[in-house]
Amino acid sequence: MINTSTNLAGIKMKSPVITASGTFGFGREYGSFYDLSLLGGITVKGLTLKPREGNKAPRIAEASASILNSVGLQNPGIEVFLDEELPFLRQYDTAVIANIAGNTIDEYCEMAERLGSSVDGIELNISCPNVKEGGVAFGTKSQSVYEITKSVKRHSCVPLIVKLSPNVTDITEIAAAAQEAGADALSLINTLLGMAIDVHTQRPMLANNVGGLSGPAVKPVALRMVWQVCGAVKIPVIGMGGISTWEDAVEFILAGASSIAVGTASFIDPFAPVRITEGIVQYMEKYGYSCIDDFRGKLKVF
Amino acid sequence: MINTSTNLAGIKMKSPVITASGTFGFGREYGSFYDLSLLGGITVKGLTLKPREGNKAPRIAEASASILNSVGLQNPGIEVFLDEELPFLRQYDTAVIANIAGNTIDEYCEMAERLGSSVDGIELNISCPNVKEGGVAFGTKSQSVYEITKSVKRHSCVPLIVKLSPNVTDITEIAAAAQEAGADALSLINTLLGMAIDVHTQRPMLANNVGGLSGPAVKPVALRMVWQVCGAVKIPVIGMGGISTWEDAVEFILAGASSIAVGTASFIDPFAPVRITEGIVQYMEKYGYSCIDDFRGKLKVF
Amino acid sequence: MNCQKSIVISNKEICSGVFEMVIEDKCIAEKAAAGQFLHLKPVESNEVLLRRPISIHRLDREKALITLLYQLKGKGTVGLSKIAVNEYIDIIGPIGKGFPIESEKRCAIVGGGIGIAPLMQLTADLKAFGKPISCDAYLGFRSDVYKLEEFSMLCDKTHVATEDGSFGEKGYITDIFAGNLHKYDVIYTCGPKIMMSKIKELCSTKKLKCYVSLEEKMGCGVGACLVCVCKTKAGDGDSWHHSKVCCDGPVFDAEEVLLND
Amino acid sequence: MNCQKSIVISNKEICSGVFEMVIEDKCIAEKAAAGQFLHLKPVESNEVLLRRPISIHRLDREKALITLLYQLKGKGTVGLSKIAVNEYIDIIGPIGKGFPIESEKRCAIVGGGIGIAPLMQLTADLKAFGKPISCDAYLGFRSDVYKLEEFSMLCDKTHVATEDGSFGEKGYITDIFAGNLHKYDVIYTCGPKIMMSKIKELCSTKKLKCYVSLEEKMGCGVGACLVCVCKTKAGDGDSWHHSKVCCDGPVFDAEEVLLND
Ligand SMILES: Cc1cc2nc3c(=O)[nH]c(=O)nc-3n(C[C@H](O)[C@H](O)[C@H](O)COP(=O)(O)OP(=O)(O)OC[C@H]3O[C@@H](n4cnc5c(N)ncnc54)[C@H](O)[C@@H]3O)c2cc1C
Ligand SMILES: Cc1cc2nc3c(=O)[nH]c(=O)nc-3n(C[C@H](O)[C@H](O)[C@H](O)COP(=O)(O)OP(=O)(O)OC[C@H]3O[C@@H](n4cnc5c(N)ncnc54)[C@H](O)[C@@H]3O)c2cc1C
Ligand SMILES: Cc1cc2nc3c(=O)[nH]c(=O)nc-3n(C[C@H](O)[C@H](O)[C@H](O)COP(=O)(O)O)c2cc1C
Ligand SMILES: Cc1cc2nc3c(=O)[nH]c(=O)nc-3n(C[C@H](O)[C@H](O)[C@H](O)COP(=O)(O)O)c2cc1C
Ligand code: FES
Ligand code: FES
């Protein structure tokens, strides 16, 4: 019997496949394509204390095997989430992870408290490249990662996942700081900061000038970082960045990830997370693995 | 009349199109496809004091719109370069830039001295992700970038270009340090550190486990960094990373680059640098520009 | 929502750079309405990663045919144009809020360039509705004109303008429309933003109902990613919020959207 | 060096997963030699970025035809298999050092699986050379066999082995070859590394000349990027250096290369 279940720092999931924050809304849209209970977990769109309208359009541009986005955390605010979106998600047998972003450490703490134990986990977004305040500013220095993690941890009664930015010199240093401060898990990578220019209008393709790069193009960087981090910390890691096939997912698990998240791939194929889950199962069948830990981290390095 | 000539910190080039180090050997191979005098400049394969055999094969893997390489600075050493390769290159009317890498600051200085004024410029490679000693270690901290630049500058009698690594938190800080230390120009980006895994053999695709990511996939990151750096320093910048069409090249120039370098694109189309040069000329014709400075840095940000 | 592969029945250039594609798909044809769009994967490779939104141009519900009209712009539309007959195309759709039909009204459609695409099925629906609805067409092009005959068959009167005067009146279609404003109750428009702004402005001076079909770059196309936003009025005064063109639109009541910023 | 688009004359599956492609190109056919390869762009898109090296299987210099034999492995070869007749394919080549022909010798070729590809033109050249050169073929396959008839027409004697015994002898072709070692002066081999190592070892015990055709992942394919290296002996003792398979090879004197690390 093949058992794909995962226990991610106490969050029980029936499969290692999660949807990545900001690419899956609050589940309603993709819920009209398939049963959301098929997913290991859903990470919801980044939440802020108050509703946010985000950045100006255009907010997306296409690049080679990738997209740039500059949504800038548009969301209805944590109250609307709790009142209107969470009850919808709770109809399904899947873990719900709340991705939160704030302007100050206090805001993050307040949100963690408001969430209480209504969600299965909290993902601390300290790596959003698309907002001026907060976001990535917290995520690029070990010291501030340590502080914010430590503070929010005190206010959360569910496992705390810290989401790391790839726009750093040494991701293992940041990862270690988060672990040290009490993070229960890590997730990486958020988007790489990128840019595209229209040579005819001579303007940036995004109204925000720069944006976050995601999709297949970032996979090699994401995989390298996940591998480095898994070798540097003991807490579990959710790997993401460009995963669009089951092979991609298996690469991240071989590199040490306990779960994987699918983001941009859903835009291209709404069924991507489901297909990836099926592919992982077939891989396990082929090689006779009965659980994820049978091959997790089993990369044979040269 | 359209004038594509560029004066890059004293290096006179008839066009802003250069070939990127490590992707063009010492010119011989591509010289059998077209006249190398068509190029603004040629940056030769990274040189070391002594010959180096580099890393084990496989040294290349393909990823989405990109490649990973782990050559590890295989080269015949600076003496063979001076004796056998440089005379060949000097037959052509094109600028020759020597890319140098060392294990210690002294090695870099010694090489700069050996090169003397035999080349038109020296590119300080402090960002090679594929060697243990030296290379990237020098390139990720402002302090060490400052020191090595300052030292090598004292020993070079031709313009000194510092090649920056993109694997850093704040590239403008590194760029400023290089400028402060006396760099005459900057070039960026070197490759992003990445990884790929074969899910069947469960081994990394590269014998070096990790490698440098280049090609179209990295362009948005490269362009963003070039734009940031051009806004932060006064010295000229050679932009590179994923340039494979003339539009790509124009994007970098609009972002502020004085020259651009073509790397991986030559592997796919040996004529890429020539086609890109032609495309730039046509762009200038279309919009009535008579020289590169007419549109360099003219990006209209939002 | 559907996501499936549908068969391409025909795909041909009807005028320089403008293609017409006919797709057979019962499911889509049954559900679709004028003003909605399909989110298409133009090429299989990851090189052109995103889907492309293309409006429903014409529906034959009985024969289960959907016609699209598209203009070559970049990699995506060029990819679309290369799909051969009998090949399959990957489609999410139909998506979005289409054009509302208000009965007993005198209507006009104002289309600019490829913006005429979604207006064709609308005029067909208006005609099918029959009296007391009437519909005139105002079609503006830069130079090349297309689809005039089909519009004239479905509309009471068809006005055409080209910017270079190579066909019909020379100038902007908005100017011709401006002169006939008083004849209508409801206006439907799709085209360049500047044209739609102008129409919106004209309509608001006469308090005519006006529906605009907006374009914005899209990611998911289904409402999940929030990249395709436009500003819509929120309550009184100057306050607004960001609505999603893909699912709150693409058709909006002109009074509800802020087109100029 | 050449880089051009050449026309594909045929491209068909000759046995499960193995394709034969015929290209017409005067320039390549004139210059090419047995053992050289072409560096092909299998799909236009950047999604499959790199070119793919494929050996010259057969040359018809008069008709300007080049035949390739390739096995489906991944995106690149699948892309190749989808190129339609009369379409063009982007080629750099011919590249590399081919098989040297040593006159007045008794030769054998030893091919494993798709490794038989470059050996076909070699046997044709050996046959064309005529007496006193003779050539026997040793062909090993896992299960499916192909190209046997062509080899048997060009060779004096053709030995075949399959690992599953479904055709010819059951087992490894190296074992059959080992028994006949004494009959030859020169051996040419291409196939899995492990097979070539074995052949090299056998040959060196008898001091037979042995040429191996190596495979290594390639970037530029022309000698500029240094990714395609293998270890070759440098001077005496254990010292070696990295040679480029694309231009120093792909054919090497077996004594010159270190196959086992
Ligand atoms: C609801 C809706 C309906 C549309 N209906 C039609 C139609 O019926 N016929 C038609 O020809 N065109 C229509 N368009 C515009 C069409 O989507 C774009 O022309 C097309 O996406 C361009 O893709 P490309 O790769 O050829 O061009 P590129 O410029 O290379 O595209 C680059 C990126 O920008 C996006 N993009 C570029 N232009 C537009 C645009 N105007 N609107 C939205 N995204 C854009 C592309 O989707 C892609 O992601 C519609 C757009 C929307 C939003
Ligand atoms: C000199 C030379 C001659 C060759 N001749 C033939 C031939 O005649 N017929 C044939 O079927 N195959 C031949 N090969 C092997 C062929 O190049 C690979 O099977 C092919 O590149 C695989 O590409 P893919 O995208 O289908 O597979 P993938 O495994 O998806 O390829 C991924 C990457 O690895 C590279 N790669 C994978 N396998 C090999 C390999 N064995 N050698 C070199 N690069 C590889 C690819 O080029 C690509 O860059 C030859 C290889 C070399 C070096
Ligand atoms: C449109 C879009 C919106 C995103 N919004 C968020 C967000 O609100 N919070 C967050 O932590 N990450 C956000 N991300 C990042 C993704 O969760 C993910 O880390 C990243 O896209 C890499 O994965 P992918 O390549 O599979 O998309 C967003 C990504 C995209 C493309
Ligand atoms: C095979 C290969 C070898 C390289 N070797 C060097 C090198 O020796 N020195 C160096 O500074 N950069 C080296 N680079 C980096 C390139 O010069 C360039 O910075 C990078 O590839 C980004 O440009 P591209 O995307 O156009 O290839 C190498 C890149 C490749 C692909
Ligand atoms: S395109 Fe994703 S919300 Fe509209
Ligand atoms: S493939 Fe570039 S040197 Fe051989």
Side-chain angles (χ1 to χ4, degrees):
Chain A
M1 252 308 285
I2 286 183
N3 178 358
T4 57
S5 72
T6 316
N7 183 326
L8 188 94
I11 309 175
K12 290 194 180 62
M13 294 191 264
K14 63 163 83 74
S15 102
V17 180
I18 312 180
T19 57
S21 176
T23 62
F24 209 74
F26 299 103
R28 291 184 193 273
E29 295 79 14
Y30 289 109
S32 73
F33 288 98
Y34 57 84
D35 179 0
L36 299 179
S37 301
L38 291 169
L39 297 169
I42 293 173
T43 314
V44 302
K45 174 67 197 166
L47 299 168
T48 50
L49 209 48
K50 298 265 163 295
R52 265 182 78 104
E53 293 297 341
N55 294 324
K56 277 188 84 166
R59 289 177 172 185
I60 189 169
E62 198 178 51
S64 286
S66 61
I67 62 171
L68 287 159
N69 91 81
S70 57
V71 171
L73 291 179
Q74 178 173 347
N75 81 95
I78 199 156
E79 295 303 327
V80 174
F81 167 70
L82 288 169
D83 295 348
E84 297 173 22
E85 303 296 349
L86 188 57
F88 167 80
L89 284 168
R90 282 307 187 198
Q91 299 173 272
Y92 299 95
D93 176 22
T94 188
V96 176
I97 298 168
N99 179 282
I100 61 170
N103 290 320
T104 59
I105 293 188
D106 283 349
E107 275 187 28
Y108 278 98
C109 294
E110 194 178 335
M111 274 190 277
E113 222 149 74
R114 276 299 289 117
L115 289 166
S117 55
S118 67
V119 290
D120 301 296
I122 292 177
E123 186 176 63
L124 206 61
N125 180 0
I126 48 171
S127 46
C128 178
N130 291 319
V131 291
K132 288 220 178 56
E133 334 78 9
V136 78
F138 292 111
T140 51
K141 296 245 154 37
S142 302
Q143 181 59 23
S144 57
V145 170
Y146 181 87
E147 277 166 25
I148 193 168
T149 306
K150 186 118 195 158
S151 305
V152 181
K153 178 66 191 164
R154 272 198 297 265
H155 294 83
S156 35
C157 36
V158 290
L160 182 65
I161 304 157
V162 177
K163 183 160 180 180
L164 307 184
S165 166
N167 303 295
V168 296
T169 306
D170 183 356
I171 189 115
T172 62
E173 191 187 304
I174 311 276
Q179 169 175 272
E180 176 78 17
D184 299 293
L186 300 174
S187 69
L188 62 150
I189 60 171
N190 208 319
T191 52
L192 281 158
L193 194 60
M195 187 177 201
I197 294 171
D198 182 321
V199 298
H200 299 293
T201 64
Q202 304 190 331
R203 309 203 74 153
M205 299 281 250
L206 298 171
N208 191 46
N209 298 321
V210 295
L213 190 72
S214 64
V218 309
K219 199 194 73 178
V221 174
L223 185 63
R224 181 264 299 178
M225 290 188 164
V226 165
W227 176 65
Q228 288 179 322
V229 166
C230 288
V233 299
K234 295 207 176 83
I235 51 179
V237 167
I238 307 176
M240 74 190 83
I243 296 177
S244 48
T245 65
W246 67 261
E247 285 96 335
D248 297 336
V250 170
E251 285 185 66
F252 279 84
I253 298 171
L254 287 168
S258 299
S259 301
I260 61 95
V262 179
T264 305
S266 286
F267 304 167
I268 290 93
D269 175 10
F271 294 95
V274 179
R275 297 225 171 101
I276 288 168
T277 311
E278 288 165 1
I280 293 173
V281 170
Q282 278 158 25
Y283 179 80
M284 293 173 71
E285 274 167 5
K286 179 167 172 180
Y287 291 102
Y289 298 131
S290 52
C291 67
I292 299 293
D293 275 340
D294 282 353
F295 64 107
R296 192 176 69 75
K298 292 298 186 291
L299 179 70
K300 300 168 202 129
V301 295
F302 281 96
Chain B
M1 252 309 286
I2 287 182
N3 178 358
T4 57
S5 72
T6 316
N7 183 325
L8 188 94
I11 309 175
K12 290 195 181 61
M13 294 191 264
K14 64 162 82 75
S15 103
V17 180
I18 311 180
T19 57
S21 176
T23 63
F24 208 74
F26 299 103
R28 291 184 194 271
E29 295 79 15
Y30 290 109
S32 74
F33 288 98
Y34 57 85
D35 179 359
L36 299 179
S37 300
L38 290 170
L39 297 168
I42 292 173
T43 313
V44 303
K45 174 65 197 168
L47 299 166
T48 50
L49 209 47
K50 298 267 163 294
R52 266 183 76 104
E53 294 296 339
N55 295 323
K56 275 189 85 165
R59 290 176 170 186
I60 189 168
E62 197 179 50
S64 286
S66 61
I67 61 170
L68 286 160
N69 91 80
S70 56
V71 171
L73 291 180
Q74 178 173 346
N75 80 95
I78 199 155
E79 294 304 327
V80 174
F81 166 72
L82 288 169
D83 295 348
E84 298 173 20
E85 304 295 349
L86 189 57
F88 167 81
L89 284 167
R90 281 307 187 199
Q91 297 173 272
Y92 299 95
D93 176 21
T94 188
V96 176
I97 298 168
N99 180 282
I100 61 170
N103 291 320
T104 59
I105 293 189
D106 283 349
E107 275 187 28
Y108 280 97
C109 294
E110 193 177 336
M111 274 190 277
E113 224 150 74
R114 276 300 288 118
L115 289 166
S117 55
S118 66
V119 291
D120 300 296
I122 292 177
E123 186 175 65
L124 206 60
N125 181 1
I126 48 170
S127 46
C128 179
N130 291 321
V131 290
K132 289 223 174 58
E133 333 76 10
V136 77
F138 292 110
T140 52
K141 297 245 154 38
S142 301
Q143 181 59 22
S144 56
V145 170
Y146 180 88
E147 277 166 25
I148 192 167
T149 306
K150 187 116 193 158
S151 305
V152 181
K153 178 68 189 164
R154 271 197 299 264
H155 294 81
S156 36
C157 35
V158 291
L160 182 66
I161 304 157
V162 178
K163 183 160 181 180
L164 308 183
S165 166
N167 303 296
V168 297
T169 306
D170 183 356
I171 189 114
T172 62
E173 193 187 304
I174 310 278
Q179 170 175 270
E180 177 77 17
D184 298 294
L186 300 174
S187 69
L188 60 152
I189 60 172
N190 208 318
T191 52
L192 281 157
L193 194 59
M195 186 177 200
I197 294 172
D198 181 321
V199 297
H200 300 293
T201 64
Q202 305 192 331
R203 309 203 75 154
M205 299 280 250
L206 298 170
N208 191 46
N209 298 321
V210 294
L213 191 73
S214 64
V218 309
K219 199 194 73 178
V221 173
L223 185 64
R224 181 264 298 179
M225 290 189 166
V226 165
W227 177 66
Q228 288 180 324
V229 166
C230 289
V233 299
K234 294 205 176 82
I235 51 179
V237 167
I238 307 175
M240 74 190 84
I243 296 178
S244 50
T245 65
W246 66 262
E247 285 96 335
D248 297 337
V250 170
E251 286 185 64
F252 279 83
I253 298 171
L254 287 167
S258 299
S259 300
I260 61 94
V262 179
T264 305
S266 286
F267 303 168
I268 291 92
D269 175 10
F271 294 95
V274 179
R275 297 226 172 100
I276 288 168
T277 311
E278 289 165 1
I280 293 173
V281 170
Q282 278 159 25
Y283 179 79
M284 292 173 72
E285 274 167 4
K286 178 167 173 180
Y287 291 103
Y289 298 131
S290 52
C291 67
I292 301 291
D293 275 341
D294 282 353
F295 65 106
R296 193 177 68 75
K298 292 296 186 291
L299 179 70
K300 300 167 201 131
V301 295
F302 282 96
Chain C
M1 197 85 64
N2 280 35
C3 175
Q4 75 256 313
K5 300 213 169 190
S6 313
I7 195 160
V8 172
I9 299 294
S10 87
N11 190 15
K12 51 176 198 282
E13 194 162 15
I14 60 161
C15 117
S16 171
V18 179
F19 280 70
E20 191 179 77
M21 178 187 281
V22 183
I23 293 161
E24 188 181 308
D25 192 298
K26 205 156 173 285
C27 207
I28 297 175
E30 264 172 14
K31 288 198 213 158
Q36 288 191 303
F37 69 95
L38 305 181
H39 211 31
L40 309 169
K41 183 86 179 104
V43 279
E44 262 183 57
S45 126
N46 275 342
E47 174 57 8
V48 180
L49 197 65
L50 291 173
R51 291 172 177 270
R52 300 294 192 263
I54 300 289
S55 304
I56 286 164
H57 176 55
R58 200 73 162 86
L59 281 172
D60 185 332
R61 296 190 180 88
E62 251 167 56
K63 294 198 187 131
L65 301 180
I66 305 103
T67 304
L68 310 177
L69 186 73
Y70 63 94
Q71 189 161 44
L72 298 192
K73 252 200 84 180
K75 280 183 188 173
T77 44
V78 167
L80 276 186
S81 73
K82 291 195 174 149
I83 299 179
V85 169
N86 287 329
E87 279 185 1
Y88 284 79
I89 178 168
D90 189 337
I91 302 178
I92 299 181
I95 309 178
K97 299 215 167 62
F99 295 108
I101 293 190
E102 316 208 348
S103 51
E104 304 191 38
K105 294 291 166 84
R106 295 167 305 160
C107 309
I109 59 136
V110 187
I114 196 67
I116 68 170
L119 299 171
M120 182 70 84
Q121 184 55 34
L122 171 66
T123 55
D125 288 348
L126 292 171
K127 187 177 170 79
F129 197 95
K131 288 251 154 74
I133 290 186
S134 69
C135 180
D136 290 349
Y138 292 82
L139 310 174
F141 298 91
R142 206 164 279 172
S143 173
D144 283 357
V145 296
Y146 40 88
K147 291 282 171 176
L148 303 186
E149 284 161 33
E150 282 178 60
F151 272 105
S152 66
M153 274 163 55
L154 295 168
C155 295
D156 295 290
K157 182 146 178 52
T158 302
H159 305 264
V160 181
T162 53
E163 287 177 36
D164 66 358
S166 58
F167 189 98
E169 307 261 335
K170 182 175 160 82
Y172 294 112
I173 194 67
T174 43
D175 295 333
I176 300 172
F177 172 71
N180 296 339
L181 208 53
H182 58 279
K183 296 186 183 166
Y184 308 107
D185 307 306
V186 189
I187 313 299
Y188 301 94
T189 183
C190 183
K193 210 170 201 175
I194 182 144
M195 182 198 95
M196 294 196 285
S197 291
K198 180 83 194 153
I199 301 290
K200 173 183 167 170
E201 205 181 284
L202 288 169
C203 292
S204 79
T205 60
K206 298 276 174 197
K207 303 230 181 297
L208 304 184
K209 195 81 191 165
C210 176
Y211 293 102
V212 294
S213 178
L214 300 189
E215 289 188 3
E216 198 47 70
K217 296 203 172 170
M218 291 185 179
C220 68
V222 300
C225 75
L226 296 170
V227 306
C228 63
V229 293
C230 64
K231 286 187 178 172
T232 52
K233 281 193 189 148
D236 307 327
D238 287 346
S239 65
W240 54 268
H241 68 93
H242 270 141
S243 293
K244 299 178 265 189
V245 169
C246 67
C247 56
D248 300 326
V251 176
F252 290 90
D253 183 331
E255 284 303 314
E256 297 300 312
V257 286
L258 309 176
L259 289 180
N260 299 320
D261 45 20
Chain D
M1 198 85 64
N2 280 37
C3 174
Q4 74 256 312
K5 300 212 170 190
S6 313
I7 195 160
V8 172
I9 298 296
S10 88
N11 190 13
K12 52 178 199 283
E13 194 161 15
I14 60 161
C15 116
S16 171
V18 179
F19 281 69
E20 190 180 75
M21 177 186 279
V22 182
I23 293 161
E24 187 181 311
D25 192 295
K26 206 158 171 286
C27 208
I28 296 174
E30 264 171 14
K31 288 199 215 158
Q36 289 192 303
F37 68 96
L38 305 180
H39 211 30
L40 308 168
K41 182 86 178 105
V43 280
E44 263 184 56
S45 127
N46 275 343
E47 173 57 10
V48 180
L49 197 64
L50 290 173
R51 291 171 177 271
R52 299 294 192 262
I54 299 289
S55 303
I56 287 166
H57 176 55
R58 199 71 161 89
L59 282 172
D60 184 332
R61 296 193 179 87
E62 251 167 57
K63 295 200 186 125
L65 300 179
I66 306 103
T67 305
L68 310 177
L69 185 73
Y70 62 95
Q71 188 162 44
L72 298 191
K73 252 200 82 180
K75 281 182 187 173
T77 44
V78 168
L80 276 186
S81 73
K82 290 194 175 148
I83 299 179
V85 169
N86 288 327
E87 279 185 1
Y88 284 79
I89 178 167
D90 190 336
I91 301 178
I92 299 182
I95 308 177
K97 298 214 168 62
F99 295 107
I101 293 191
E102 317 209 348
S103 51
E104 303 191 39
K105 295 289 165 86
R106 295 167 303 161
C107 309
I109 59 138
V110 186
I114 196 68
I116 66 168
L119 300 172
M120 180 72 83
Q121 184 56 35
L122 171 67
T123 55
D125 289 348
L126 291 172
K127 188 178 172 75
F129 198 95
K131 290 246 148 94
I133 290 187
S134 68
C135 180
D136 290 347
Y138 291 81
L139 309 173
F141 298 92
R142 206 163 280 170
S143 173
D144 283 356
V145 296
Y146 41 88
K147 292 282 174 176
L148 302 186
E149 284 161 34
E150 283 178 61
F151 272 106
S152 65
M153 274 163 57
L154 295 168
C155 295
D156 296 290
K157 179 144 180 55
T158 302
H159 305 264
V160 180
T162 52
E163 286 178 36
D164 65 359
S166 58
F167 189 98
E169 307 261 333
K170 182 174 160 83
Y172 294 112
I173 194 68
T174 43
D175 294 332
I176 300 172
F177 172 72
N180 296 339
L181 208 52
H182 58 282
K183 297 186 182 164
Y184 308 107
D185 306 308
V186 189
I187 313 300
Y188 302 93
T189 182
C190 183
K193 211 170 202 172
I194 180 145
M195 181 197 95
M196 294 195 286
S197 290
K198 180 80 194 157
I199 301 291
K200 173 181 166 172
E201 205 181 284
L202 287 168
C203 292
S204 78
T205 60
K206 299 275 173 196
K207 302 230 181 297
L208 304 184
K209 195 82 190 165
C210 176
Y211 293 102
V212 294
S213 178
L214 300 189
E215 289 188 4
E216 199 46 71
K217 297 203 173 171
M218 292 186 179
C220 67
V222 300
C225 75
L226 295 171
V227 306
C228 63
V229 293
C230 65
K231 286 187 180 173
T232 52
K233 281 193 188 147
D236 308 326
D238 286 348
S239 65
W240 53 269
H241 68 91
H242 270 141
S243 293
K244 299 178 265 187
V245 170
C246 68
C247 56
D248 299 326
V251 176
F252 291 89
D253 182 331
E255 283 304 312
E256 298 299 311
V257 285
L258 310 177
L259 289 180
N260 298 320
D261 44 20

